[in-house]
Amino acid sequence: MRKVFQSSEYHIDNTGEHLVTKALQTLIDETSQAGGILVLERGTYLTAPLFLKSGMEFHFEDGAVLTGTTDESQIPVIPTRAAGVEMGWYPGILNCSGQKDVIISGNGTIDGQGEYWWRKYWGDDGKSGMRGEYDKKGLRWACDYDCMRVRNVVIMESSNITLRDITSTRSGFWNIHICYSDHIHVDGVKITSCGAESPSTDGIDIDSCHDVLVENCITDCNDDSICIKSGRDADGIRVNRPCHDITVQNCEIQAGFGVTIGSEVSGGVYRITLKNLRYHGTDCGFRIKSSVARHGYIRDVRVDGLSMINVKYPFHFFLNWNPAYSYCELPLGYEGDLPAHWEKLLEAIPASVPKTKVSNITIENVTAWNEPEYDGISRAFHIEGFEDQPIEHVVFKNVSLACREFGVINHTKDIEFQNVTVSVSGARDEKNDSYDNR
């Protein structure tokens, strides 16, 4: 019988008005030492980053809310990986770093108070902030790294971790980041309340991991819904940790940019299974993105059983995605400092390293259609490889798409269509519908 530690027994403030970081961390440490279960009871707990320990369960009671502080003086900078680059950055609100046999469970909520972080990035008007300043200086590629924002959950260098039933809301950056970890089970997690003003609020990011199962989740966010990655550019090649043996199944994908591989694939991605996914009002269905600078590979992907309603781009594979973000160059005459992570981003990769190679993808049993009132973009295919490195060996089987446009398929080799029907009802102006930079 595991010992249960109730937060109320330790008189931890649950009004959300006072920081309780030290008290909660002490309780986490005691729970781990006993191999027990910490029950966070109903209430609101304001905290700086917390670090779970091996052999424990952190259980949210119904109505329990863990709220991340926006007082940046309370948030340490630690070694981590941010958007594919190893560097010093903020941890998550709830972290599991270098641990094993940990469960995070319950119907409570982790609240990132995202509006603070989103304003830090975009300003009060959605056009200024650090992003506006960096755009003017020709430093778009550096902004996401320099504008540190807190993730809600970070699982790092850990094994045999379960996340079950929790809700992640208003994350400052990615909601759930799983990195350098293995044997991870994410079950019944909900990603909510990341509206159109929230930049880079990915749902679940699986980054240089293996043996990960994501199932029964619901995502509603403002970037990639569920994303598989393996490092960016020279730093990703240096680390050389591929992402492999990942399964995503039985999930509901709402607002967001879809289930994605990339763009950080420099370490390689292989043996990926996506099955029984339901989409409604999503920007993309199955998405692959990379760039000339990424290199790496994506291979052996099986997609089976997708149902899409009002999805703008059911299949969006674009290997030269978002040049302003993907290509790192100092502006002419730049004389400022060069932080260590800038040097990593600017490091040249030898021309002998091949561009991203995408191969061996099987897609079957897919339907896509629009409700009568839907009046958005509707393009069945947007598939573009490199002229000198085409996307190879792709099979579409038992696919039925009802869209306004067929779209484009360029720079592919050995692409097969078996029992594929595409019904096109009317075209839109492609010049106004570009999705390359989102």
Side-chain angles (χ1 to χ4, degrees):
M1 189 77 171
R2 301 180 72 182
K3 184 175 180 179
V4 176
F5 295 77
Q6 302 280 150
S7 59
S8 62
E9 295 176 358
Y10 291 77
H11 308 292
I12 298 175
D13 182 87
N14 67 352
T15 66
E17 296 179 1
H18 308 283
L19 275 173
V20 295
T21 313
K22 184 176 180 180
L24 273 179
Q25 189 62 57
T26 298
L27 184 52
I28 287 168
D29 295 345
E30 290 185 17
T31 304
S32 172
Q33 290 170 8
I37 302 171
L38 190 164
V39 176
L40 193 70
E41 295 171 272
R42 175 181 292 273
T44 301
Y45 302 82
L46 180 65
T47 184
L50 298 168
F51 294 85
L52 302 181
K53 303 293 179 64
S54 294
M56 68 171 293
E57 179 172 351
F58 190 102
H59 181 79
F60 288 79
E61 191 177 77
D62 287 6
V65 180
L66 194 66
T67 300
T69 182
T70 58
D71 180 354
E72 294 189 57
S73 70
Q74 299 292 322
I75 304 173
V77 174
I78 67 169
T80 186
R81 183 189 251 186
V85 175
E86 289 188 345
M87 59 181 292
W89 224 64
Y90 287 157
I93 297 170
L94 196 59
N95 301 270
C96 187
S97 182
Q99 308 300 314
K100 61 182 180 179
D101 303 324
V102 175
I103 298 172
I104 304 168
S105 65
N107 290 317
T109 299
I110 301 176
D111 184 347
Q113 298 201 81
E115 289 82 359
Y116 169 86
W117 305 103
W118 308 338
R119 286 193 301 269
K120 180 180 178 181
Y121 187 82
W122 272 129
D124 291 333
D125 60 359
K127 300 176 182 179
S128 55
M130 187 178 288
R131 173 65 185 275
E133 294 174 9
Y134 276 50
D135 282 359
K136 291 176 183 176
K137 297 176 182 177
L139 294 170
R140 162 68 186 99
W141 51 271
C143 184
D144 289 44
Y145 300 91
D146 290 7
C147 187
M148 292 193 293
R149 292 173 282 152
V150 174
R151 297 157 285 182
N152 276 5
V153 179
V154 177
I155 308 299
M156 189 86 178
E157 292 278 14
S158 294
S159 181
N160 195 26
I161 310 299
T162 297
L163 289 80
R164 182 183 299 119
D165 298 332
I166 64 168
T167 295
S168 175
T169 189
R170 298 198 301 163
S171 185
F173 190 61
W174 298 350
N175 277 266
I176 296 173
H177 184 194
I178 305 166
C179 185
Y180 299 162
S181 298
D182 63 89
H183 295 89
I184 308 298
H185 188 193
V186 183
D187 184 8
V189 167
K190 295 168 281 296
I191 311 294
T192 68
S193 299
C194 297
E197 72 280 8
S198 59
S200 307
T201 50
D202 293 19
I204 302 168
D205 288 271
I206 306 161
D207 186 1
S208 289
C209 296
H210 66 86
D211 295 284
V212 177
L213 172 61
V214 176
E215 61 181 343
N216 308 315
C217 295
I218 300 173
T219 65
D220 185 339
C221 59
N222 189 41
D223 210 314
D224 296 320
S225 307
I226 299 173
C227 195
I228 298 165
K229 303 170 176 286
S230 65
R232 175 171 180 167
D233 304 352
D235 199 55
I237 292 171
R238 175 190 63 81
V239 172
N240 192 29
R241 295 181 70 162
C243 203
H244 63 92
D245 294 287
I246 312 298
T247 297
V248 178
Q249 64 184 17
N250 303 323
C251 293
E252 184 176 335
I253 314 299
Q254 299 175 5
F257 295 176
V259 179
T260 300
I261 300 176
S263 69
E264 298 98 321
V265 295
S266 301
V269 173
Y270 65 95
R271 288 205 299 265
I272 308 300
T273 299
L274 312 177
K275 62 182 180 180
N276 301 331
L277 305 179
R278 303 173 305 282
Y279 299 75
H280 193 280
T282 317
D283 283 46
C284 296
F286 174 41
R287 186 185 195 197
I288 291 175
K289 55 181 180 176
S290 186
S291 80
V292 174
R294 294 291 183 276
H295 307 276
Y297 59 86
I298 300 166
R299 66 172 184 249
D300 303 329
V301 179
R302 186 172 187 86
V303 179
D304 185 3
L306 308 187
S307 174
M308 308 185 202
I309 302 174
N310 301 347
V311 172
K312 295 178 181 178
Y313 302 88
F315 298 105
H316 196 282
F317 306 168
F318 193 65
L319 301 191
N320 193 24
W321 171 79
N322 199 350
Y325 173 78
S326 294
Y327 304 144
C328 304
E329 295 181 354
L330 288 174
L332 188 64
Y334 180 81
E335 296 180 350
D337 295 333
L338 284 182
H341 60 279
W342 283 30
E343 292 182 353
K344 290 182 177 183
L345 289 163
L346 292 164
E347 183 178 344
I349 299 173
S352 59
V353 179
K355 295 175 182 175
T356 305
K357 183 174 178 59
V358 178
S359 62
N360 298 334
I361 299 175
T362 300
I363 298 166
E364 58 185 332
N365 303 318
V366 177
T367 61
W369 57 281
N370 298 324
E371 293 171 318
E373 64 273 17
Y374 178 73
D375 192 34
I377 300 166
S378 178
R379 186 175 302 160
F381 300 102
H382 190 116
I383 299 177
E384 294 193 58
F386 297 118
E387 186 173 3
D388 57 348
Q389 181 76 283
I391 296 170
E392 295 186 347
H393 309 304
V394 181
V395 176
F396 289 91
K397 182 179 180 180
N398 300 330
V399 174
S400 177
L401 310 177
C403 300
R404 290 198 175 88
E405 304 173 54
F406 180 87
V408 296
I409 300 177
N410 292 326
H411 306 314
T412 64
K413 181 180 179 181
D414 297 329
I415 184 167
E416 297 182 31
F417 295 91
Q418 303 174 16
N419 190 31
V420 174
T421 302
V422 181
S423 174
V424 176
S425 61
R428 292 171 62 96
D429 183 356
E430 291 190 15
K431 294 190 295 295
N432 294 324
D433 291 343
S434 175
Y435 198 72
D436 303 343
N437 296 334
R438 302 185 192 181

